[in-house]
Amino acid sequence: MAMWLYLLALVSLYYLVRWYRERQVVSNLTDKYVLITGCDSGFGNLLARQLDQRGLRVLAACLTEQGADKLRDQASQSLETVILDVTKTESIAAATQWVKERTGHRGLWGLVNNAGVASPAAPNEWLTKEDFRKVLDVNLLGVIEVTLSLLPLVRKARGRVVNVSSVMGRVSLVGGGYCISKYGVEAFSDSLRRELYFSGVKVAMIEPGYFKTAMTNAKLISQGLQDAWDRASPEVKALYGEKFLAPYMKEVEKLPSKLCEDLSLVTDCMEHALTTCHPRTRYSAGWDSKFVYIPLSYLPTVLVTLSLLPLVRKARGRVVNISSILGRVSLVGGGYCISKYGIEAFSDSLRRELSFSGVKVAVIEPGYFRTSMTHPETIAQNLQKSWELASPEVKELYGEKFLASQLNSGEMLRVKWHQSPVMVTDCMEHALTACHPRTRYSAGWDAKFIHIPMSYLPTFLVDAILYYLVRWYRERQVVSNLTDKYVLITGSGAPQGSAQWCSLPLCAGLWGLVNNAGVASPAAPNEWLTKEDFRKVLDVNLLGVIEVTLSLLPLVRKARGRVVNVSSVMGRVSLVGGGYCISKYGVEAFSDSLRRELYFSGVKVAMIEPGYFKTAMTNAKLISQGLQDAWDRASPEVKALYGEKFLAPCKKSLAMLNALRTDNLAMVTDCMEHALTACHPRTRYSAGWDAKFILIPVSYLPTVLNCNVVRNLKDKYVFITGCDSGFGNLLARQLVDRGMRVLAACFTEEGAQNLQQETSYQLQTILLDVTKSESIQAATQWVRDQVGEQGLWALVNNAGVGLPSGPNEWLTKEDFMKVINVNLVGLIDVTLHMLPMIKKARGRVVNMSSSGGRVAAIGGGYCVSKFGVEAFSDSIRRELHYFGVKVSIIEPGNYRTAILGNNGLETNLRKLWERLPQETRDSYGEEYFITYTERLTNTMRLADPRISDVTNSMEHAIVSRTPRIRYNPGLDAKLLYLPLAKLPTAVTDFILSRYLPRPADSV
C-alpha cells in the first residue's frame, strides 16, 4: 500500500510541476511573427484568428485567393496572407522570401505546418503509386521542404516549429498515403527536435483525433473510395467482391456522428506550443485521441490488430517488409528514418486489411548489422557530400567541428556492428515458414534491449536518454598529444593539487590552469567576524583566482586550452557565515562570465564543485579553533545576544561533520583531469554523493524552499498576549531561544515574574487586561517606546478564555459577553491599537482561533468568539495585503492548557446546571447532565499535552518568509474538525448529534 502511495505522490508531483511550468508564458508576444500553412479552413484558419486576437503577428499561408480574402475579412489589419502551394518548390521559395522581408532581423518565432490532405484513402491494393505520392507530397515532403526553407529564420528567433500530425501517425488504421505521411511527420519531428535541442528551437507535434474539417468530409472520402474502386483492376475487384464496398461506404457515412466539432481543442494545443515557455513535445487533442488511439499505440501490435479488424477479402500468403529500429526511434536526419516510419505505417494498415484473408504481414526491425548501407566509408562520403551542398549560412551555424564529430560517430558503428546478418535472415525465414509468424521481429541485441524498449517510453525520456548517450560519447574523446601540454596547478601543497614548477616555452602556451589554492577559515556567524576576516578569505579564494587567471590568460589563449576553477557546493548554497561561501559564489560568477567571453576563442572554462572531502581545509580542529577565536573577539553585545549556550552545539556539529567527510580525493581530481584532457569537458563537475544528491538539487529549488526564514530575526520585536501559561508562555520562551526580542503581556504579576525568571534579558514583560481599553492604551505606548522607529514585527493575539461553556440554553448574555470580550473584542482592540506599528515594520498578525472556529461543537461564547476571530482575520488580511502585512490564523485541535481555568470543566458545568430553572432542568433530565459532563470531561482528558505543535505553528507564522493563512496543529484538527467543516451542514449536524446525549423531552 505504501508503495502505491509513494507512486501516486510521485505522479502527482510530476503533473504539478508540469502544470506550473506550462503556465509560464513567453514575453513580448505582440512582437513575434508566426507563419501558419493551410489557413483556407479548419485548424489553420481558426488558429490564425485566435493568434491574431492574442496580438501576435500572423502570417497566414493559404492555397487559394478566395481562402485568403475570406480570412482577411475575419481578422485584424495586422494579419497578412500569402498564397502557398507546399508541393511546389518555387512557391515555397517565394513565400520564404516574403516572410524574410516581413520578419527582418527578428526572425520567425513560430512555424505551424498545418497544410494537409487525406484522400485518396482506401485499401492499399486499390491504389497506385501516384495515389500515395499525391498525399506524401503535401503531408510529408511539403512539411519537410517548408521547414528546411524557413529554419534559418526560426533559428534566428530561437522559436518554435509545430507540426500537425494525427493519431494516425501513431496507429495506422486506413490504407493510402495519409497514415504513412503522418508516421513520417512523427519521425521528421523527432529527429529535428533532437538536432535543434542545443539551438534553443523547440519542436512540438499535434496529434488530433477525429475532428470536423474539410479533410474529414464524408462525401469527399466516399467519392475518393468510389474512384479508387472504379480504377482497381478486375482481379482486385473479383478478390474483394462487390459486397465489400457497400459496408465500407456505410462506415464512412457514419463518420460525421463520430466527429468532434470543437476545433478549438486542437488550436488551443497549437497556441500553447507557440506561447508557453515550456511546450510539450506531443499534444493529444480530443477524447478519442487521449483515451483510445494513444493508449492503443503503446500496446503490442497483435493486440492492436485484434482490436481493429476490418471487413476484408479471403486469400493466402505472406508479406515480409524490412523496416529498421530507426522506424521506431528516429535518431538521424534525412529520409531513412522517415521512410522506415512509413513502412511501419504501411505494414500495419496492410496487415489489418488482410487479417481475415489468410495473408500475414510481418515487419523485420534489425539493429546495426554489417551491410553496404552501414559501411562507415559510405556514410562518411554521403555526409561529406551533404555538407558540401549545404548553404554557407548552415555551414557557419554548425561549424567544421560538428562535421568531424559526425564522421567520428560513423566510425563508432564498427564497434556496434553485428558481423553476421544471419540473425536477420533467420527472422525473415521464420516469417515465411512458420504457421504463426510474428507481426514484428527484432533482430540484434541492440534492437531488443535498447531501441525497442526506448520506443515505448514517453518522448521526453527518450530525448533525455539520447542526450546522456551523446554526452557520454563526447566526453570519452580525449585531447591528442597530451604529453606535449603544460598544466599549472595552484595550491600544490594541498592534497588535491600536485605539480612541479616549470619554465614554459612562450611558443607552446599554457594548456591548463587549475585554480585550486584556497582557505576556509575563519568561518563563523557573520556578526562574530570583522571586515579583515572576510578579506583574508576573499584575497585567496576569489581575488587570487582572478589575478592568477588574468595574468596567465594570454598563455592559455595561445594554446586554446583550459581554465579549471575549484569552487564548492557552498558556491551554490550558502550554509555558513564568513568569506568562504561568498568567495565561492564569486568564483562561480567569474567562471561563468569568463567562459562566455572566451567561447569563441577556443578556451574552455570548467568549475569543480566538490562536496565535503577530507582535506587540510576541512580539519575540524582548525575550524573549531577559528570559531573559538571569532567568539573570543566578538563584542559583549553579540555574546549576550547569542549566549554561551550557542557555541557548544556549533562545535558539536563540527565534530559530527568530521565523520561525514569523504576520504577518496580521487573523485575530485578525476573531475579535474577530465576537464583538462577531454575534448568536450563539462562546464560544471559535482564530486561527492552529498554534492550530487543533496546540495546541488537543493540549489535548484526556489529560495523560498531552501531558505524560507526571514532575515535579521534578532532585531525584530514580537508582542504576545496571554503569556502567563500555555501557548503564549511557551512561544515567548521559544522565540527568546531563537534570538528575537519578545514583549510578553501577562494578566497577573505572578505570571510575569515567573516568565521573566525563566528567560534572558531579551524578554520584557508588561501587565495587560485585554478587556480594558486603558490597559491596552498603556501597553501600546510601552511597546511604541520599546520598538522605536523600526516598528513591531509581529503581534500574537493569544489571550483567551474557554469558560463558561455548555448548552446555550444554560447560559446568560453575561456568560457570552465574558468570553467574547476576551477572545474577540479584546483581540480586535489590541490589533487596532498595534496596527500602525505593524504596518511600519510590514510585519505579521497571528490570531489564535480554534477548530471551534470552523465547527461549533459546543455552546457558549467560545465557538461564537472563534468564528468571529476567523471573520475578523480574513477581512483584515485582505485589507492589509497591499501594505505587506501578513495575517495568519492558528486553528489548533484539543490541547491541554489552562484555558478552562483552575476549577475545571466539571465544576463549571455543575454551577450552570444548579442555577437553571427547574422547568429547564426537567426538560433536559439529570441523565443528560451526567452524560454531557462525562463526555466533555473525557474529551478534555484526551487532550494532547504536546503544546509545542501549536507554538511551532505560531513560530512559523512569525519567522517564515511565506507564512500560511491557516495552521491546523493536531491530528483531530486535521482529520476530524476540518473535514467536518467542509461537509454539508446537514451531514455535520448528523455526525455531531451522535456525540451529544438525548434530552428527556426529546422528540
Side-chain angles (χ1 to χ4, degrees), residues 43 167-168 208-219 221 251-263 265 285-288 293:
F43 302 138
V167 286
M168 301 293 180
Y210 281 103
F211 284 83
K212 191 174 183 178
T213 66
M215 275 208 304
T216 54
N217 186 303
K219 288 183 181 178
I221 296 171
E251 289 298 318
V252 173
E253 286 170 12
K254 291 179 186 175
L255 185 61
S257 63
K258 299 175 182 177
L259 298 176
C260 178
E261 296 186 7
D262 186 5
L263 303 190
L265 292 172
W287 67 265
D288 52 339
Y293 298 110

Side-chain angles (χ1 to χ4, degrees), residues 324-568:
S324 164
I325 48 169
L326 298 185
R328 303 289 290 272
V329 182
S330 182
L331 298 181
V332 293
Y336 185 75
C337 291
I338 296 168
S339 66
K340 294 305 181 183
Y341 267 60
I343 286 173
E344 299 271 335
F346 174 67
S347 303
D348 284 347
S349 61
L350 188 68
R351 185 180 60 259
R352 287 156 195 157
E353 288 168 11
L354 304 178
S355 53
F356 280 127
S357 66
V359 175
K360 293 181 178 173
V361 181
V363 186
I364 313 296
E365 296 171 338
Y368 284 103
F369 283 84
R370 185 174 185 176
T371 66
S372 58
M373 271 207 307
T374 57
H375 200 282
E377 289 179 9
T378 307
I379 295 171
Q381 284 173 7
N382 291 330
L383 204 60
Q384 190 68 49
K385 282 179 186 175
S386 300
W387 176 259
E388 288 165 2
L389 292 170
S391 66
E393 287 179 359
V394 170
K395 287 182 179 178
E396 185 181 348
L397 207 59
Y398 282 85
E400 294 285 344
K401 286 185 178 178
F402 183 83
L403 177 63
S405 66
Q406 291 292 303
L407 293 171
N408 281 339
S409 300
E411 285 297 326
M412 275 191 72
L413 285 174
R414 291 184 190 275
V415 182
K416 296 182 178 179
W417 270 346
H418 295 283
Q419 295 296 322
S420 173
V422 172
M423 295 167 77
V424 181
T425 55
D426 284 350
C427 292
M428 295 176 185
E429 183 182 339
H430 186 273
L432 292 166
T433 59
C435 292
H436 303 287
R438 301 179 199 168
T439 51
R440 281 177 164 82
Y441 290 82
S442 308
W445 64 265
D446 52 336
K448 283 184 170 68
F449 301 114
I450 300 176
H451 297 97
I452 299 299
M454 275 175 69
S455 70
Y456 287 104
L457 292 176
T459 313
F460 74 93
L461 283 181
V462 177
D463 289 351
I465 290 166
L466 292 175
Y467 165 74
Y468 282 106
L469 281 173
V470 170
R471 191 177 86 165
W472 170 80
Y473 166 68
R474 281 163 57 89
E475 290 181 354
R476 286 179 67 245
Q477 298 174 42
V478 179
V479 173
S480 57
N481 304 321
L482 283 174
T483 53
D484 298 332
K485 299 191 184 302
Y486 290 93
V487 177
L488 175 67
I489 307 171
T490 64
S492 56
Q496 286 182 11
S498 61
Q500 290 182 339
W501 178 252
C502 60
S503 58
L504 297 172
L506 292 176
C507 60
L510 180 64
W511 171 254
L513 167 61
V514 181
N515 284 305
N516 170 67
V519 294
S521 292
N526 291 305
E527 280 184 295
W528 300 11
L529 303 172
T530 64
K531 177 184 173 182
E532 290 307 312
D533 292 325
F534 284 89
R535 186 192 293 278
K536 182 180 174 183
V537 179
L538 290 171
D539 279 348
V540 179
N541 293 4
L542 180 58
L543 298 174
V545 167
I546 293 170
E547 191 171 5
V548 169
T549 304
L550 296 180
S551 300
L552 292 166
L553 203 52
L555 294 175
V556 179
R557 272 181 179 274
K558 186 179 285 187
R560 292 190 178 179
R562 306 288 160 83
V563 177
V564 181
N565 291 330
V566 179
S567 178
S568 165

Side-chain angles (χ1 to χ4, degrees), residues 34-49 51 58-72 74 79-84 86 112-116 270:
V34 178
L35 175 69
I36 309 166
T37 65
C39 290
D40 299 75
S41 63
F43 302 138
N45 186 284
L46 178 58
L47 178 65
R49 289 183 280 123
L51 296 181
V58 179
L59 308 174
C62 300
L63 181 61
T64 64
E65 282 287 356
Q66 183 185 355
D69 292 340
K70 190 177 177 182
L71 178 58
R72 279 197 298 271
Q74 295 174 326
L79 182 142
E80 298 180 72
T81 60
V82 65
I83 302 302
L84 172 64
V86 297
V112 183
N113 284 305
N114 169 68
M270 296 173 174

